[in-house]
Amino acid sequence: MPTALGYPGLRCVLEFLDPMKRIHIAARNHSLWTIDKTIPIWIEELEIYREFLKLDKYSTEISFDIRFSNRQNAKFHQVLPEQLNQGEAITKLLNSYLGGRSKIYVNFLSIYGMYSPVLPPNFIIRINELGCCFSYINRFLANIDPCSFPLKKLRTGIDEPDHLNHPILTSAEEVIFTCGANGIQKLIDQNNGNKRVTFEDYRYNSANPVVLIRHWMKNGIEIGATLKLHNNNDNDRLLHILLQELKEFENKRFNSSLNCPRLIIPINRTAEIHVIVSSKNSIVVEVVPKSLKRRGEATEEPSSSKKAKQ
């Protein structure tokens, strides 16, 4: 007869088990249930809305009833108790799944909507990436472990330019703006430290990217800094303005191959700005190290001229 796993063995198995399978198994085994919440749980994606909860590939939708489903299209229904509204039901469900756990690790947490449920106070998670509407971030900020900051990625919509002052936004390595107030000029004025910024389906003043590029030229910026602009309606117009305003930096060797820059703008001896029209029809402004080939060309010319003088 096989020997039962001791606590160290159970801990290793439970910690890296599929989260929903783990919750399901522990709820039906008293010995596991007593230790389950003391063991860290790892979740790739957690989405929380007023009427919807998604934990990795498992989702729960609440309307007049409770509907459970997974990516294999297995679906289950349960009657919603009359005394519960949708937000309260999601909060109770979330608390039963994750409340009271010692450590919850989530790669990507997504919370949207003014009426998103209030998270249980004992629900503390450590995250890498966050998706939210910035106006309501204070509703759940206390539930995020401070060790999560700075975030690797923040995907958000903003309603006020002042939101750009928030330390959570300014410290994030990558920020994706989905909608909201015109923020490019504000980012320029405040010299925000975000390494990568994307404006997605976002209306902006077409002159702002030119101002940003000139700001980077004058003040410098670290290699890897990237600005992506997704707006199919304005891309052609924006590219025309960039080529017109910065025509002295147009790439003479431009071809239609993928990621070939339309503009190459020097910053200093080690870095330059590339302006690229990507395959997704977005405009990418990126700071890259000067290529070895270009440095070689720069050093060859003086040496050849010296030989000519001799």
Side-chain angles (χ1 to χ4, degrees):
M1 184 175 179
T3 304
L5 285 174
Y7 175 75
L10 284 173
R11 180 184 178 89
C12 292
V13 172
L14 284 178
E15 183 170 351
F16 299 102
L17 193 64
D18 176 276
M20 282 302 293
K21 288 182 179 178
R22 168 178 165 176
I23 292 168
H24 180 82
I25 293 170
R28 286 155 178 78
N29 185 298
H30 181 72
S31 61
L32 292 180
W33 181 81
T34 56
I35 65 171
D36 177 55
K37 291 187 181 293
T38 66
I39 300 171
I41 188 168
W42 299 80
I43 300 169
E44 179 62 29
E45 184 176 357
L46 178 62
E47 296 183 22
I48 305 170
Y49 300 83
R50 184 172 182 264
E51 304 170 356
F52 181 80
L53 174 66
K54 181 181 178 184
L55 197 157
D56 284 350
K57 61 184 178 181
Y58 301 91
S59 61
T60 304
E61 184 177 358
I62 297 179
S63 54
F64 298 105
D65 59 359
I66 305 174
R67 303 175 185 179
F68 303 91
S69 63
N70 59 30
R71 289 177 185 168
Q72 284 72 42
N73 292 322
K75 297 182 179 180
F76 310 92
H77 295 259
Q78 184 174 328
V79 176
L80 179 67
E82 293 183 1
Q83 68 273 21
L84 286 182
N85 61 37
Q86 294 164 318
E88 291 171 339
I90 288 291
T91 299
K92 281 184 172 291
L93 187 64
L94 187 64
N95 195 36
S96 68
Y97 285 167
L98 301 174
R101 293 185 179 274
S102 59
K103 293 181 180 179
I104 305 171
Y105 297 102
V106 177
N107 184 48
F108 176 65
L109 172 67
S110 177
I111 302 180
Y112 280 98
M114 180 177 180
Y115 300 104
S116 57
V118 176
L119 302 183
N122 62 350
F123 179 74
I124 305 296
I125 55 177
R126 184 177 297 186
I127 64 175
N128 291 324
E129 303 175 7
L130 173 65
C132 69
C133 182
F134 219 80
S135 296
Y136 315 121
I137 194 169
N138 289 330
R139 288 172 57 90
F140 56 85
L141 196 56
N143 298 100
I144 299 178
D145 189 330
C147 294
S148 303
F149 305 108
L151 295 172
K152 290 184 178 179
K153 182 185 292 186
L154 172 64
R155 181 182 178 88
T156 186
I158 56 173
D159 296 324
E160 302 291 340
D162 286 344
H163 291 159
L164 294 166
N165 297 325
H166 201 289
I168 290 178
L169 189 149
T170 58
S171 65
E173 183 175 337
E174 179 177 0
V175 180
I176 300 174
F177 294 104
T178 57
C179 61
N182 191 335
I184 297 180
Q185 185 62 50
K186 193 80 171 181
L187 288 174
I188 298 169
D189 295 340
Q190 295 179 349
N191 197 22
N192 280 28
N194 309 116
K195 190 168 184 178
R196 295 188 297 277
V197 177
T198 298
F199 289 89
E200 192 174 82
D201 295 329
Y202 196 99
R203 294 195 175 276
Y204 45 78
N205 187 330
S206 297
N208 286 155
V210 177
V211 176
L212 177 68
I213 290 172
R214 294 197 183 279
H215 178 81
W216 285 0
M217 291 170 62
K218 179 180 178 181
N219 299 285
I221 190 77
E222 67 176 310
I223 290 174
T226 304
L227 173 69
K228 294 182 181 179
L229 302 168
H230 299 282
N231 192 328
N232 293 334
N233 296 327
D234 287 342
N235 275 356
D236 291 340
R237 178 169 172 266
L238 174 57
L239 182 60
H240 175 75
I241 291 174
L242 288 170
L243 292 173
Q244 187 177 46
E245 294 292 327
L246 301 165
K247 57 185 177 182
E248 67 270 30
F249 302 112
E250 189 169 356
N251 183 9
K252 304 302 182 183
R253 300 180 180 179
F254 172 74
N255 58 64
S256 57
S257 63
L258 185 64
N259 293 332
C260 182
R262 295 295 302 268
L263 295 168
I264 299 177
I265 306 161
I267 298 178
N268 51 43
R269 290 185 298 176
T270 60
E272 59 191 13
I273 301 168
H274 285 190
V275 178
I276 301 168
V277 179
S278 74
S279 58
K280 296 182 179 180
N281 199 29
S282 59
I283 293 178
V284 181
V285 181
E286 182 178 16
V287 178
V288 301
K290 285 190 174 180
S291 65
L292 293 175
K293 182 178 179 181
R294 290 180 61 81
R295 286 203 297 269
E297 290 173 352
T299 55
E300 284 174 7
E301 291 179 1
S303 61
S304 60
S305 62
K306 284 182 180 179
K307 289 181 180 179
K309 288 179 181 179
Q310 291 174 352

